[in-house]
Amino acid sequence: MKQILCPVNGLRPLQEFQYGGALRDRPDPNTCSDEAWADYVFNRAGAPGVQREWWCHVPSAVWFVAERDTLNDVFLRTYLYEEMPDRE
Amino acid sequence: MNKKSPEIPERLPLPYGSCLDRNTRIHFRFEGEPCEGFGGDTLSTALWASGARVLGRSFKYHRPRGVFSLSGIDANVLVEDSDTTNIRGDRTPVHEGMDVRAVNTLGGVRRDLLRVLGRLEAFTPVGFYYKAFHTPRSLYPLYESMLRRLGGLGRVNAAKPIEHTAKRYAFCDVLVVGAGASGMAAAVAASARGARVLLVGNDLHRGGCLRYHKAQDPKVLETLARLESQLAGQPLIEWRASTTAVSHDADLWVALDDAKTLTKVQARAVVYATGCYEQPAVFRNNDLPGVMLLGAAQRLVHEYAVRPCEAAVVFAARLESYEAALDLSRAGVAVRAIVDPGVTVLPEALAEALASAQIPIRTKTCVYEAIPLSGEGGVAAAVICALDPQGVPQPESAEPIPCDGVLLGVAQTPADALLRQAGACMRYDATQEQFVPEQLPERVYAVGSVNGVHDLDARIADGRAAGEAVAISLGFSSGPAPSRPARTQTRQSHPYPIFPHSKGHECLDLDEDLMLKDVQRAVAEGFDRVELLKRYSAFGMGPSQGKHSNLNVLRVLARLRGETLEGHRAPTARPYVQPVPLSHLAGRIFTPRLRTTIHRWHEAHGAEFTWVGAWLRPKYYRVQGRTEEQCIADEATAARCCVGLIDVGTLGKIEVSGPDAALFLEYMNTGRYADLPPGKAGYGLMCDESGVVINDGIIARLSEEQFYVTTTTTGADAIFLEMRRNALSWKHRVTLVHATHQFGAVSVAGPASRALLAGLVKIDMGEDAFPHMAVRSAEIAGVPVWMLRVGFAGKLGYEVHMPASGALQVWSALMEAGAECGARPCGVEAQRLLRLDMGHFLIGQDTDALTHPYEIGMGWTVKMDKPFFIGQRSLRILSGKPRERQLVGFVLSLPGEGNRPAENHLIIREGRMAGRITSIGRSPALGRTVGLAYVEPDQTTPGTELFIRSHNGGMVSATVAHPPFVGEAMVLSEKERSFKSETVATQTEKTHAASAAGGSASVLALCDVSAIPKWGLAGPGATDWLRAKGIAVPEGIYQWRHLKEDAGRIVRLPHDEFFIEDSPGGGHVAALRAAYTDNAPGCHAVERQDYALLVCGDLVAELMAQSCGVDFSKPHEVAVMTRVAGVNVLALQTRETQALRLWCARSAAVYLWDALAEIVHDLSGAVADLDHARPWL
């Protein structure tokens, strides 16, 4: 069983968490083509590598971002969405 | 029993028998016959001591088997009693009154009639089952039942009552697996530097092989005594005896199994000091009782004072085996010869001692065969023969040596299964002729002989150095990591202890009766890779998991392939390394069940319950003399013609407030709420990004910045989390409160609902003052309520929402007031019929994973001119495309009633599937069967005839009709008017099961303290508001303070929220509630109706260990939000580890109480009432 470091609650066993999918850039729904939108809605890359993911500590309803190496299933870093580096 | 003499042989004198309690005699039965042993004996040792030799039968050929390893690496002695099967005799202590028999025999272990299967050996070669029993297919069930009876292990007693065992969590800095010399040294070194160490060992005693290998040698005795005294001086070491580490999982979780419990240990570092397993030599009849590993013989002698045999041939290829032979001869075993397949260089003293003991040594010689004693009792002689320089036996030189024991000491292999699960690689070391670990993962250590360090002093030095290194890596001390001793540079195992016999029967895997020729044949058939060979021949697939067979099979395979072992690997080591009872894996099964606060009333009034998600809801209420179907119809009729009360406290309820609340809801839902005036409610429909409908409910605007949102019962948790995430990523200024469990709700439906409510509230209920989709606050029976006028079950109806603690009061008041006009409680079934009458769909019932709003007639809710909502872009695309299907209402034709279809029956059109039924039921109001179904878009016109393939393929017809199927103007018959519900006695909510403990709860007490007032405040302005009221607000998340000196407490939660609890009778919460007004800037009052528990006593940490993944054995300064028994809780230690407060959703109260009370009971604790608990608050 894995342990995940929640930025608010600390290190907890995996059962206390829920996975919320990869963090993805949404195309502008008002300007993008139907094809680009459909690609965003239905397709996932699935290629192994380091990706940013949404995770939620369910008992406290705290969402945060995890950088996870999906090839080796290793959590590299976790931080709150508000504190995400190099974004905006 | 095949005893050597009628008298039970004497045990060896002291100091032999270190495990025995000779003052305690234990009487038990084996195979129906009375037996005797001493305290401390295992089943196998007691039986072997009594002279019994056949203790079990093999899996396939039912060959006689006896003690082989005595350490759990074989499965020869498997027994069962009336309740339990596959009990391992080698490791199970005998106890008074034990009554066991060997598994898998026909007529007892001695005369097992199935031994005839051994004669068929020539006809059942490897792969025989695969080849013989696959055709004809029709006979397969016969084969299966036959083979399962013949082969296989014990029988399961299905009538045994289910017994839940604890499954616990444990936490430590360093887990040391293996309590031999190196493990003990590592534990001492790590704990001396301040690490919390958990030391586990398979056996009852520490010491590993020091307890039986040269156990009376002064140096060994001194070493063990020194390690024991060092260990005794380390309070940070926790020792667990008779406990096996069975799996190593991700992030250093290690599962430990003992006789009763599975423990999941979270360690910061793991030290494996698991030692080596002795490996058998392979020769003809090497599985006879009497042929055993030297270690087993030494254990019998030193630990159990049992002579393994009278006269022995020792098959030795290691120095240690020579030492053991001398040891055994000193214990009175006549060692007829030491047979060595090579030449072992002996120290002079040992050689002299062996010579003076007159033990002949035969080098370059093998044991070629064991001759069975007639009557299948054991060994009569060992046939030895010379080996040629290539190691091949020369049968012409064969020479029998009479003996009753052949003791094997030719090879060993590291106990590396857990290391390999952890990710270590094992490399074959040609110097040692065995595997050694390489590339250990981070924070995993191997010490002692599993690490290829075999000399006693070096093992201890290795353990000590690793223990220090662990402490340094965990930050308990500093400095350079000490250097570890070098690996042993001498041969530890014979490279090929396999000696083929012309007549075969050289056993490689005792569990599976796998012979040398089986492996040769399998390889010849092409299964020449280790994983393939394993699956084809089944080696290593028995209960021993290859512990005594993997290495020898690998050696045979490599030789057949003309390779050395370098580069070869043992098959994957999978969890669990030894069999774990399924009951241990299951543990207590925590499945939270939710109940509304009106549940007791339902129970008292004949409700039959049904599960809706995690909720227990009334399905219908039993009435004497009426069938279930009639009861449901009666309830629906009452609600249609008069008034029905439905407990809808299960609905999801979410409070949304803040400056962006309306914007946020417009983003979440398809509809428009910005222009919704306070006091009005709108319909809310949520889609996902692909435009699929995922939730619906009511959105009521209570004030400019405050909304009260309901969701579906089963969607509440997911929707709330999704709202939280979206609020984050959209950066909306909203405060979200998940209020599902804080509020109760009652649906009051039917034409008389207005009159009923009007009699109870002081507000104007008139059509104009309280129109459809309006929300009003009022008071019923002294309880403040929100009333929503909605029409889900009928044209006229209200939802009444109130704090959960007041729900029963309101419900009872409504039932009492409604008694005269015939109000009835309605269950889920009636509710479903009522909404079907109205043509309302249910999310998840009438929608699926592809349903978009346009398909279910909800296009009117989709406001495309908003700037954004989830699913908007997808719906824009979908709205321009032709529909594929449409949800319509239908009325079943009268002839169709004879074969009424069910949900998911298909609509057939011109021979093709045109759609399916999603809901169907018989409407009592209409007297007809109505339903909802997906049909093709051109079938939606009312009057269109639909054809449905009903049960047994019968076709029935139905007509499309626009819901609602039932109008408001129902004419009530006189009979219906006079319809009265049963009289309802007003009930007060009972607190359950909180009986007084009578002061006996010194160890562990559980107490319901929900009655203490609670309150909460959320929002960005909450801190300032509380400060202004003179409250010292905790700064950090989860920090807490007392409200006033030592009284009550306030906890800061994530998301700008505070949880406040009064002291009993403190009045602080009441004062805060009174001081709060709705327009406090940036504040949102949170109704806290949580269930509150106090757990106190010495065993609090143990209770939590059995129900929660957070370590409560150490003090937590702050509050913790976690999951206990599957329920989300807020936990707070109030007195170090001795007292713990838990708060959870009120709906989960009964479940959590029952779950914890069961554990408390098992731990011999008690439940207490508030008075007993007061000192702990």
Side-chain angles (χ1 to χ4, degrees):
Chain A
M1 180 173 36
K2 294 196 75 68
Q3 296 252 100
I4 300 177
L5 183 68
C6 167
V8 170
N9 294 279
L11 204 61
R12 295 294 175 84
L14 182 66
Q15 303 103 296
E16 295 194 4
F17 295 90
Q18 188 175 305
Y19 173 58
L23 237 81
R24 300 181 306 138
D25 286 323
R26 193 181 65 194
D28 184 341
N30 295 315
T31 56
C32 73
S33 67
D34 285 1
E35 287 71 26
W37 183 254
D39 181 57
Y40 165 72
V41 169
F42 295 110
N43 296 332
R44 302 289 181 275
V50 176
Q51 71 174 16
R52 281 183 171 154
E53 297 173 338
W54 280 108
W55 284 82
C56 180
H57 181 251
V58 177
S60 62
V62 170
W63 283 98
F64 59 94
V65 178
E67 286 178 12
R68 189 169 69 98
D69 174 353
T70 61
L71 181 65
N72 300 305
D73 191 19
V74 176
F75 284 81
L76 302 170
R77 279 208 297 176
T78 55
Y79 37 79
L80 291 175
Y81 180 80
E82 306 88 286
E83 293 158 9
M84 184 157 53
D86 57 82
R87 251 196 177 219
E88 290 174 353
Chain B
M1 310 289 298
N2 37 354
K3 292 171 189 163
K4 297 239 134 196
S5 67
E7 289 299 307
I8 295 173
E10 284 280 316
R11 298 280 178 113
L12 293 164
L14 288 168
Y16 292 113
S18 57
C19 284
L20 291 187
D21 168 12
R22 296 190 197 230
N23 297 319
T24 310
R25 287 200 170 266
I26 309 257
H27 304 88
F28 65 100
R29 296 177 89 86
F30 178 64
E31 297 273 311
E33 287 183 39
C35 305
E36 208 175 80
F38 286 114
D41 263 325
T42 70
L43 184 67
S44 298
T45 62
L47 289 171
W48 201 261
S50 73
R53 288 297 173 262
V54 184
L55 307 188
R57 287 280 169 176
S58 71
F59 179 75
K60 188 175 171 189
Y61 297 133
H62 292 254
R63 288 174 58 84
R65 291 286 168 79
V67 165
F68 189 73
S69 71
L70 207 60
S71 63
I73 71 162
D74 70 274
N76 280 357
V77 191
L78 283 183
V79 298
E80 59 192 1
D81 61 20
S82 56
D83 275 349
T84 314
T85 192
N86 298 335
I87 302 166
R88 280 167 299 162
D90 286 4
R91 293 202 154 272
T92 305
V94 283
H95 58 81
E96 190 65 35
M98 192 179 207
D99 185 1
V100 294
R101 62 196 168 271
V103 300
N104 190 28
T105 69
L106 186 62
V109 73
R110 255 179 82 203
R111 311 232 167 278
D112 184 5
L113 297 177
L114 293 174
R115 68 180 189 274
V116 67
L117 290 171
R119 307 262 162 81
L120 302 177
E121 191 186 325
F123 305 102
T124 56
V126 63
F128 166 71
Y129 298 108
Y130 300 135
K131 291 169 185 163
F133 294 109
H134 58 91
T135 50
R137 225 182 152 78
S138 57
L139 284 181
Y140 193 83
L142 176 72
Y143 295 149
E144 190 188 7
S145 73
M146 181 182 79
L147 292 175
R148 274 193 201 286
R149 248 178 297 126
L150 292 179
L153 304 167
R155 281 187 193 99
V156 173
N157 175 10
K160 184 190 172 191
I162 292 173
E163 195 177 297
H164 292 301
T165 59
K167 188 153 79 170
R168 4 182 4 266
Y169 289 93
F171 305 84
C172 61
D173 295 316
V174 184
L175 172 67
V176 180
V177 179
S182 59
M184 290 169 81
V188 168
S191 66
R193 280 151 190 80
R196 240 186 354 159
V197 176
L198 182 60
L199 174 66
V200 300
N202 284 339
D203 299 323
L204 189 58
H205 303 278
R206 292 180 291 259
C209 69
L210 301 189
R211 290 182 55 83
Y212 57 83
H213 183 68
K214 297 205 289 183
Q216 282 158 32
D217 183 295
K219 189 196 167 194
V220 170
L221 285 168
E222 190 267 328
T223 306
L224 186 53
R226 191 177 65 240
L227 287 168
E228 282 293 355
S229 78
Q230 288 171 346
L231 206 71
Q234 295 298 340
L236 286 175
I237 299 179
E238 185 190 341
W239 156 246
R240 293 252 182 103
S242 306
T243 301
T244 306
V246 289
S247 72
H248 182 115
D249 298 305
D251 287 355
L252 299 185
W253 284 97
V254 177
L256 307 178
D257 193 41
D258 60 28
K260 288 192 178 127
T261 310
L262 190 83
T263 305
K264 296 184 270 186
V265 180
Q266 172 67 68
R268 293 174 62 206
V270 184
V271 177
Y272 284 109
T274 41
C276 285
Y277 300 133
E278 280 188 298
Q279 294 296 293
V282 179
F283 52 85
R284 178 170 167 77
N285 288 339
N286 63 338
D287 64 335
L288 283 180
V291 179
M292 69 173 78
L293 300 175
L294 253 177
Q298 290 172 285
R299 276 171 190 262
L300 281 172
V301 166
H302 287 288
E303 298 199 311
Y304 302 100
V306 178
R307 231 176 252 129
C309 52
E310 299 299 323
V313 167
V314 175
F315 197 4
R318 313 175 62 228
L319 179 61
E320 289 77 5
S321 307
Y322 282 79
E323 293 170 340
L326 181 63
D327 222 21
L328 292 170
S329 109
R330 285 176 180 157
V333 175
V335 179
R336 297 270 188 249
I338 296 177
V339 178
D340 191 332
V343 181
T344 304
V345 182
L346 301 179
E348 212 166 299
L350 180 60
E352 276 170 23
L354 288 165
S356 67
Q358 294 180 319
I359 299 175
I361 298 172
R362 306 287 293 267
T363 56
K364 297 182 184 169
T365 305
C366 72
V367 174
Y368 183 54
E369 175 179 4
I371 308 283
L373 195 66
S374 63
E376 296 192 338
V379 175
V383 177
I384 65 169
C385 77
L387 293 167
D388 72 5
Q390 279 72 48
V392 178
Q394 307 297 305
E396 57 279 8
S397 68
E399 167 193 344
I401 301 178
C403 63
D404 64 339
V406 182
L407 310 179
L408 312 177
V410 293
Q412 59 176 17
T413 193
D416 59 6
L418 292 163
L419 275 174
R420 289 194 285 143
Q421 283 175 23
C425 289
M426 300 300 288
R427 169 181 65 83
Y428 191 77
D429 183 307
T431 310
Q432 296 194 8
E433 294 286 2
Q434 60 188 51
F435 286 91
V436 291
E438 264 198 342
Q439 295 167 20
L440 291 175
E442 241 181 293
R443 293 189 286 149
V444 174
Y445 298 77
V447 302
S449 59
V450 73
N451 186 36
V453 175
H454 298 284
D455 175 67
L456 177 56
D457 291 332
R459 275 176 3 230
I460 293 174
D462 195 29
R464 195 186 305 125
E468 286 173 26
V470 175
I472 291 167
S473 77
L474 296 182
F476 287 103
S477 62
S478 55
S483 65
R484 306 269 300 269
R487 286 202 171 118
T488 309
Q489 292 300 314
T490 55
R491 201 169 93 174
Q492 298 298 313
S493 288
H494 188 274
Y496 198 77
I498 291 140
F499 307 98
H501 191 286
S502 53
K503 289 188 189 155
H505 215 286
E506 313 88 341
C507 194
L508 274 165
D509 188 314
L510 274 70
D511 288 9
E512 300 284 347
D513 275 334
L514 187 77
M515 306 302 164
L516 181 59
K517 70 166 179 353
D518 292 325
V519 170
Q520 289 165 338
R521 194 172 307 193
V523 172
E525 287 181 33
F527 298 92
D528 61 351
R529 293 291 189 282
V530 66
E531 297 286 358
L532 289 175
L533 180 61
K534 174 171 177 170
R535 278 147 191 80
Y536 191 59
S537 69
F539 86 85
M541 288 166 81
S544 311
Q545 293 282 290
K547 292 187 189 76
H548 67 258
S549 59
N550 277 352
L551 180 65
N552 281 334
V553 172
L554 265 186
R555 293 197 194 277
V556 173
L557 175 64
R559 181 158 289 197
L560 288 172
R561 290 171 56 90
E563 296 162 356
T564 67
L565 266 182
E566 279 154 273
H568 276 264
R569 280 205 184 134
T572 307
R574 291 196 170 77
Y576 295 90
V577 301
Q578 78 173 29
V580 176
L582 290 174
S583 62
H584 291 196
L585 292 176
R588 291 192 172 87
I589 296 163
F590 295 129
T591 313
R593 294 305 196 191
L594 305 176
R595 296 163 172 87
T596 70
T597 41
I598 311 175
H599 190 83
R600 293 249 141 197
W601 189 96
H602 303 319
E603 272 180 344
H605 292 82
E608 286 290 330
F609 290 95
T610 182
W611 295 110
V612 179
W615 290 90
L616 202 52
R617 292 194 65 183
K619 187 179 182 197
Y620 69 98
Y621 299 80
R622 276 190 315 274
V623 172
Q624 192 105 42
R626 305 287 282 168
T627 64
E628 173 178 338
E629 205 171 343
Q630 287 168 332
C631 286
I632 294 166
D634 288 352
E635 290 170 13
T637 306
R640 183 67 61 228
C641 307
C642 168
V643 62
L645 295 183
I646 310 168
D647 180 0
V648 292
T650 61
L651 285 174
K653 307 168 205 82
I654 297 167
E655 291 175 304
V656 182
S657 60
D660 292 335
L663 178 69
F664 176 74
L665 290 170
E666 290 205 349
Y667 269 42
M668 287 296 304
N669 294 275
T670 59
R672 189 189 307 285
Y673 310 99
D675 47 4
L676 192 69
K680 282 289 282 181
Y683 176 72
L685 186 75
M686 281 184 210
C687 294
D688 64 14
E689 279 288 26
S690 63
V692 167
V693 176
I694 55 168
N695 181 58
D696 74 341
I698 301 295
I699 294 174
R701 191 167 208 164
L702 306 180
S703 70
E704 193 54 41
E705 293 191 358
Q706 263 188 300
F707 290 82
Y708 184 82
V709 178
T710 67
T711 75
T712 55
T713 291
T714 47
D717 292 338
I719 296 296
F720 178 72
L721 290 183
E722 208 47 42
M723 281 187 171
R724 266 248 185 279
R725 166 156 64 169
N726 288 329
L728 260 183
S729 55
W730 295 334
K731 297 187 169 61
H732 282 177
R733 291 166 299 162
V734 288
T735 298
L736 300 170
V737 175
H738 190 185
T740 298
H741 307 283
Q742 317 297 353
F743 287 94
V746 177
S747 167
V748 185
S753 57
R754 183 179 354 225
L756 170 60
L757 285 164
L760 291 167
V761 297
K762 296 198 174 71
I763 61 166
D764 186 351
M765 294 290 290
E767 181 63 42
D768 297 334
F770 195 167
H772 187 60
M773 292 306 268
V775 56
R776 297 286 181 267
S777 71
E779 202 179 271
I780 297 178
V783 178
V785 300
W786 285 106
M787 294 203 293
L788 280 160
R789 186 174 155 194
V790 291
F792 185 63
K795 274 276 182 319
L796 186 65
Y798 300 84
E799 266 180 26
V800 184
H801 292 249
M802 71 299 283
S805 58
L808 184 60
Q809 224 168 313
V810 172
W811 174 275
S812 300
L814 286 165
M815 285 307 307
E816 199 172 336
E820 284 191 18
C821 70
R824 265 189 87 139
C826 297
V828 176
E829 290 299 328
Q831 187 189 15
R832 289 193 174 157
L833 284 183
L834 290 167
R835 66 92 199 179
L836 198 55
D837 274 352
M838 302 302 291
H840 291 311
F841 64 88
L842 288 179
I843 302 282
Q845 166 93 32
D846 304 294
T847 70
D848 55 36
L850 295 173
T851 305
H852 57 74
Y854 302 111
E855 288 179 342
I856 50 173
M858 284 286 132
W860 63 273
T861 69
V862 180
K863 307 298 183 200
M864 278 301 175
D865 50 348
K866 297 196 293 184
F868 173 80
F869 63 87
I870 301 176
Q872 184 184 36
R873 176 66 207 264
S874 297
L875 287 175
R876 193 176 293 149
I877 298 170
L878 284 167
S879 67
K881 291 194 167 176
R883 290 293 101 78
E884 287 176 2
R885 58 178 185 170
Q886 194 76 36
L887 191 70
V888 294
F890 67 85
V891 179
L892 192 66
S893 66
L894 284 173
E897 295 287 349
N899 184 8
R900 191 194 298 168
E903 281 165 23
N904 286 323
H905 277 168
L906 299 178
I907 314 287
I908 303 294
R909 186 183 190 186
E910 293 157 12
R912 68 174 186 276
M913 282 188 287
R916 67 182 172 91
I917 295 177
T918 59
S919 289
I920 187 163
R922 188 172 165 79
S923 161
L926 209 63
R928 296 287 293 271
T929 295
V930 297
L932 297 173
Y934 284 106
V935 296
E936 293 180 347
D938 61 345
Q939 291 181 297
T940 58
T941 320
T944 307
E945 196 172 19
L946 301 175
F947 297 96
I948 304 162
R949 182 175 287 149
S950 187
H951 299 280
N952 302 320
M955 298 297 290
V956 297
S957 72
T959 311
V960 172
H962 271 322
F965 301 111
V966 178
E968 202 171 8
M970 292 279 301
V971 181
L972 303 190
S973 67
E974 194 54 39
K975 185 172 165 246
E976 283 162 340
R977 269 184 213 284
S978 62
F979 166 75
K980 301 269 188 199
S981 75
E982 51 187 313
T983 326
V984 177
T986 312
Q987 298 240 329
T988 51
E989 191 183 359
K990 287 180 203 156
T991 52
H992 44 266
S995 62
S1000 68
S1002 60
V1003 188
L1004 183 62
L1006 185 64
C1007 176
D1008 179 347
V1009 289
S1010 307
I1012 303 169
K1014 295 172 288 286
W1015 191 61
L1017 195 63
T1023 309
D1024 290 342
W1025 190 88
L1026 287 165
R1027 283 210 179 105
K1029 295 288 173 282
I1031 290 176
V1033 177
E1035 291 295 328
I1037 293 174
Y1038 294 130
Q1039 285 179 355
W1040 67 278
R1041 290 184 173 203
H1042 287 298
L1043 279 178
K1044 297 271 154 58
E1045 345 46 69
D1046 267 9
R1049 46 181 71 85
I1050 173 167
V1051 187
R1052 185 190 278 264
L1053 302 178
H1055 313 108
D1056 294 327
E1057 191 175 336
F1058 293 91
F1059 173 74
I1060 298 167
E1061 190 189 61
D1062 217 331
S1063 51
H1068 304 299
V1069 159
L1072 284 171
R1073 269 183 197 271
Y1076 176 81
T1077 48
D1078 278 345
N1079 51 13
C1083 291
H1084 181 90
V1086 182
E1087 191 58 54
R1088 294 303 306 221
Q1089 299 270 332
D1090 304 57
Y1091 181 60
L1093 274 178
L1094 167 70
V1095 199
C1096 50
D1098 311 325
L1099 289 175
V1100 170
E1102 179 58 30
L1103 172 72
M1104 297 309 285
Q1106 294 193 18
S1107 57
C1108 174
V1110 172
D1111 183 8
F1112 282 98
S1113 66
K1114 63 178 186 194
H1116 290 258
E1117 282 176 7
V1118 296
V1120 174
M1121 286 184 107
T1122 180
R1123 214 169 246 182
V1124 173
V1127 177
N1128 295 337
V1129 301
L1130 173 66
L1132 187 70
Q1133 279 176 345
T1134 52
R1135 277 208 198 163
E1136 296 255 297
T1137 57
Q1138 300 276 302
L1140 190 69
R1141 297 292 315 276
L1142 300 175
W1143 294 272
C1144 78
R1146 197 186 187 98
S1147 323
V1150 174
Y1151 161 78
L1152 186 66
W1153 175 275
D1154 288 348
L1156 294 184
E1158 184 186 320
I1159 306 175
V1160 166
H1161 177 77
D1162 287 357
L1163 295 172
S1164 307
V1167 293
D1169 63 10
L1170 187 56
D1171 284 339
H1172 287 88
R1174 207 171 287 271
W1176 298 95
L1177 286 167

